Amino acid sequence: MTSPCHRDGAVASCAAMTTPTIRALMLSLVTTIVAVTVAWVADAPSSAVLKGSVLYRERDSLPDSAQVRVQLVDATPGEEPKVYAETTFATQGKQVPIAFALPIDLAKLDAAHLHALRAYILLDGRIAYVTRARVNVDPKAVPASVTILLVPGNADPVAVDSPAPPGAVKAPPPAPTRRTGPRGAQPPANAR
């Protein structure tokens, strides 16, 4: 019977033969894992295209000259909204829902901040429809598709519907006003 420790007819210590071999294999394996991990991190996408559509519920037709604008903004409470990505295009007579594709440079996004989409429909260069409510976007998990509901108006909802920052102190409720009696009548002089 031949031992696995026999080599070229000479007997060597199994521990002496296998220890350097195991060390070399382990070093090779660790080096390969590190190289693959570094390559994977380096190949992580630095850009993405967010696709979706904008729509509204009103039964209005858009003129051929209407434009759609979609933006990815910094929606962190207490921060000035910063536009990270934007696309504006003519509808060319298309009606809602209108598809869009928004290229995003993920390297520019701050992972510690909140990011949101906002959309507008412009008629004659003026905002006619706006995002109904903020549409949050996680840059680590960009959705395959998103639908943005618009409503008539021109107010920016990213600032309007943002929650208070963590740890913010609520303002006390207003002090109750003293009633003067039914329907504004003054109370009798002896009740004062």
Side-chain angles (χ1 to χ4, degrees), residues 99-187:
F100 69 86
L102 179 64
I104 301 170
D105 183 354
L106 298 173
K108 290 183 179 179
L109 303 181
D110 186 341
H113 286 211
L114 296 176
H115 303 90
L117 288 173
R118 62 181 174 191
Y120 308 97
I121 293 179
L122 301 119
L123 303 178
D124 298 325
R126 298 177 64 191
I127 297 172
Y129 292 88
V130 296
T131 310
R132 179 172 182 222
R134 187 173 60 208
V135 178
N136 292 326
V137 174
D138 180 357
K140 296 175 199 160
V142 176
S145 181
V146 64
T147 300
I148 303 174
L149 180 61
L150 305 180
V151 294
N154 59 11
D156 187 3
V158 174
V160 173
D161 72 349
S162 296
V169 178
K170 280 188 168 182
T177 56
R178 184 174 167 211
R179 287 194 58 158
T180 57
R183 297 190 183 174
Q186 293 295 323

Side-chain angles (χ1 to χ4, degrees), residues 39-56:
W40 179 75
V41 170
D43 290 342
S46 62
S47 65
V49 176
L50 181 62
K51 296 180 179 182
S53 60
V54 296
L55 61 93
Y56 57 81

